[in-house]
């Protein structure tokens, strides 16, 4: 315990304050809230994605013959494939709220700037069009950058250049007109940036950022080693009582870009460029069921009660009852299995990837988090992904089993000692009553 206490002291002194300060940053709050708020788009088309991706030839033939398949694919193109557009709107709105801006001026300005910076295409007949490839994975990093820069710029300019209107002016009119001069500065600056980029070897902001920032980040962030280290560090922090949400906020842009790239490739009929990464991330919710299986063998009243309470939540991917009921944090019995949990799960997922069990993965299917893993895995990746999930859960259970037995044995001894102490106390009380009733 002294070693654990020393590590905890170091984390609480150096890592804890940094993590807390980062989680309180306005930019982190806006980014996390904005990225989570795009879930209605992915979940909203989940049913259509499932219908189009089910491996049932008669159903697929019916959808194709009736033209529904073409319609569904069009829906996926303007929802899943335009993720950067939705992300820009959502992040800029939430970040603007965090900065204290009223209305949706931040959102409109950010969307306008991103669309302004997109290189336009010109058809032979003189038609000008927006290239949607810049609104998908190729434009996600640019969209996120300006979804943060524009609201921050607007907030700063509003303090110095806001148009003052009388109180008699309706609020919605005031919110629309007061940022007028600020918007002129923002859009003029964006136009100058676009013009300046045409004089560089990149030609546009998207090419510069994607080649200088996005490509290296995607390469490093999507590697199997990066996934393992990310999960490992998250578990180390959680074990010592530091919530790893700040790490997720840093990694979320990479995860989002990878998801969009897989979706675009799937809709276009190409192989998924980040299939292994996605399969490794798919095992992220196996913790609860794996630990629950290990707890089912417990004999102490403490862990038997915990296993009964945690069973139903674990089926629906809710791990808090086990995490806080065991508990995991600062529990010396659980240190080794909890730290090794994610590397083991990633190893199983990688083996499944090389065996081709995840080849049927459909990245356009996104189901609510609480859908049981066997069901969500079947719809998104067929029987192959279900097999990977099942083996991962069993591997986690096997990993935790010997450590649960040790903790269970200690709990049994504590319960036996408590029963013995209670019995001894009862015996002493009965003896005292008996002696008190005897004549002196």
């Amino acid at each position: 315990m002294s070693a654990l206490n020393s590590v905890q002291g170091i984390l609480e002194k150096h890592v804890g304050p940094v993590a807390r300060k980062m989680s309180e940053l306005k930019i982190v709050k806006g980014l996390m809230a904005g990225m989570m708020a795009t879930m209605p788009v992915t979940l909203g088309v989940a049913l259509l994605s499932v219908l189009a991706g089910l491996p049932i030839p008669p159903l697929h033939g019916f959808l194709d013959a009736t033209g529904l398949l073409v319609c569904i694919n069009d829906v996926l193109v303007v929802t899943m494939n335009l993720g950067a557009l939705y992300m820009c709107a959502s992040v800029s709105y939430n970040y603007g709220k965090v900065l204290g801006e009223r209305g949706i001026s931040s959102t409109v300005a950010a969307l306008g700037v991103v669309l302004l910076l997109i290189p336009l295409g010109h058809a032979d007949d003189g038609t000008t069009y927006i290239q949607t490839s810049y609104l998908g994975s190729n434009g996600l990093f640019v969209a996120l950058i300006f979804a943060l820069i524009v609201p921050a710029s607007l907030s700063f300019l509003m303090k110095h250049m806001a148009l003052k209107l009388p109180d008699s002016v309706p609020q919605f009119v005031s919110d629309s007109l007061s940022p007028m001069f600020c918007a002129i500065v923002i859009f003029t600056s964006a136009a100058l940036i676009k013009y300046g980029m045409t004089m560089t070897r990149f030609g546009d902001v998207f090419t510069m950022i994607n080649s200088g920032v996005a490509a290296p980040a995607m390469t490093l962030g999507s590697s199997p080693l990066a996934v393992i280290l990310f999960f490992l560090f998250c578990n180390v922090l959680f074990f010592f009582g530091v919530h790893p949400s700040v790490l997720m906020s840093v990694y979320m842009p990479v995860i989002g870009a990878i998801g969009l790239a897989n979706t675009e490739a799937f809709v276009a009929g190409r192989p998924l460029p980040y299939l292994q990464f996605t399969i490794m991330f798919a095992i992220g919710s196996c913790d609860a069921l794996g630990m629950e299986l290990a707890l089912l063998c417990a004999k102490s009243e403490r862990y038997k009660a915990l296993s009964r309470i945690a069973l139903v939540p674990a089926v629906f991917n809710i791990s808090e009852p086990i995490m806080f009921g065991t508990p995991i944090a600062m529990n010396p019995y659980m240190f080794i299995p909890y730290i090794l949990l994610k590397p083991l799960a990633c190893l199983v997922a990688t083996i499944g990837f090389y065996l081709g069990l995840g080849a049927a993965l459909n990245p356009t299917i996104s189901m609510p988090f609480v859908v049981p893993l066997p069901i969500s895995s079947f719809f998104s990746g067929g029987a192959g992904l279900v097999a990977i999930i099942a083996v991962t859960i069993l591997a986690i259970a096997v990993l935790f089993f010997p450590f649960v037995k040790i903790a269970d044995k200690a709990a049994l001894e504590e319960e036996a000692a408590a029963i013995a102490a209670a019995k001894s106390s009862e015996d002493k009380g009965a003896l005292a009553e008996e002696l008190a009733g005897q004549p002196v």
Side-chain angles (χ1 to χ4, degrees):
M1 286 296 292
S2 58
L4 292 178
N5 290 334
S6 299
V7 175
Q8 184 187 23
I10 293 173
L11 288 174
E12 288 180 348
K13 182 179 180 180
H14 300 288
V15 179
V18 174
R20 282 190 291 273
K21 287 181 180 179
M22 288 188 67
S23 64
E24 294 171 359
L25 290 175
K26 293 181 178 180
I27 192 170
V28 173
K29 290 181 179 179
L31 186 62
M32 288 296 293
M35 298 190 79
M36 290 298 295
T38 61
M39 291 299 291
V41 176
T42 54
L43 295 178
V45 297
L47 179 59
L48 296 176
S49 300
V50 170
L51 286 175
L54 284 176
I56 304 176
L59 175 61
H60 197 274
F62 170 77
L63 295 176
D64 195 11
T66 57
L68 285 172
L69 188 59
V70 175
C71 180
I72 290 174
N73 287 333
D74 288 346
V75 171
L76 296 179
V77 167
V78 297
T79 52
M80 308 289 283
N81 281 17
L82 301 186
L85 192 64
Y86 297 104
M87 203 76 73
C88 176
S90 181
V91 171
S92 60
Y93 176 75
N94 281 278
Y95 189 39
K97 286 177 58 180
V98 171
L99 294 174
E101 291 301 311
R102 293 182 297 180
I104 60 170
S105 300
S106 298
T107 305
V108 174
L111 285 173
V113 167
V114 170
L115 292 173
L116 181 155
L117 293 172
I118 293 177
L120 299 179
H122 302 279
D124 295 336
D125 61 358
T127 303
T128 301
Y129 57 91
I130 293 177
Q131 302 180 60
T132 57
S133 60
Y134 291 104
L135 298 175
S137 61
N138 287 336
L140 181 62
F141 278 87
V142 176
L144 289 176
I145 288 172
F146 284 96
L148 298 172
I149 290 177
V150 172
S153 302
L154 184 62
S155 178
F156 173 78
L157 293 172
M158 286 291 288
K159 294 180 175 64
H160 303 86
M161 301 178 61
L163 181 63
K164 304 297 184 181
L165 296 172
D167 294 338
S168 59
V169 176
Q171 186 66 51
F172 73 93
V173 176
S174 177
D175 288 343
S176 301
L177 294 180
S178 58
M180 181 173 62
F181 295 120
C182 307
I184 291 174
V185 173
I186 289 173
F187 278 93
T188 302
S189 301
L192 291 174
I193 292 173
K194 181 171 184 173
Y195 175 71
M197 290 306 303
T198 61
M199 299 181 180
T200 67
R201 65 184 180 89
F202 300 107
D204 59 83
V205 173
F206 290 82
T207 302
M208 182 189 72
I209 291 180
N210 284 335
S211 59
V213 178
M218 292 276 283
T219 301
L220 294 174
S222 63
S223 67
L225 180 60
V227 180
I228 293 173
L229 290 177
F230 170 75
F231 279 138
L232 181 63
F233 196 33
C234 284
N235 282 13
V236 169
L237 288 180
F238 184 85
F239 182 86
F240 289 104
V242 180
H243 200 283
S245 58
V246 65
L247 292 180
M248 182 58 73
S249 67
V250 174
Y251 207 31
M252 275 294 284
V254 175
I255 298 172
I258 286 172
L260 284 177
N262 277 340
T263 298
E264 292 169 3
F266 181 84
V267 173
R270 302 191 305 269
L272 304 188
Y274 301 103
L275 178 59
Q276 183 178 1
F277 175 93
T278 308
I279 293 174
M280 292 177 73
F281 247 86
I283 50 80
S285 301
C286 293
D287 306 9
L289 277 175
M291 289 188 280
E292 173 63 23
L293 287 181
L295 280 174
L296 289 176
C297 302
K299 296 180 179 179
S300 64
E301 292 301 322
R302 170 185 171 182
Y303 288 114
K304 283 197 296 185
L306 175 61
S307 67
R308 288 193 293 267
I309 294 171
L311 178 58
V312 173
V315 170
F316 292 95
N317 307 319
I318 299 172
S319 60
E320 280 76 6
I322 288 181
M323 292 293 186
F324 297 105
T326 307
I328 294 296
M330 289 306 298
N331 186 340
Y333 296 112
M334 299 299 162
F335 177 74
I336 293 177
Y338 190 65
I339 299 305
L340 295 180
L341 185 157
K342 292 300 186 180
L344 174 63
C346 288
L347 175 62
V348 173
T350 301
I351 294 173
F353 165 79
Y354 284 111
L355 292 177
L357 295 176
L361 184 69
N362 183 346
T364 66
I365 296 176
S366 179
M367 306 191 77
F369 175 76
V370 294
V371 175
L373 278 175
I375 298 175
S376 61
S377 301
F378 176 76
F379 281 115
S380 61
L385 186 57
V386 173
I388 294 176
I389 294 294
V391 175
T392 303
I393 292 172
L394 289 174
I396 293 173
V398 171
L399 172 64
F400 270 85
F401 181 77
F403 299 93
V404 169
K405 292 295 290 183
I406 296 173
D408 187 49
K409 181 180 179 182
L412 280 172
E413 293 174 353
E414 291 176 4
E415 290 171 4
I419 292 173
K423 183 174 176 51
S424 175
S425 177
E426 290 177 0
D427 291 342
K428 290 180 180 178
L431 180 60
E433 290 178 1
E434 182 180 347
L435 293 174
Q438 291 180 0
V440 177

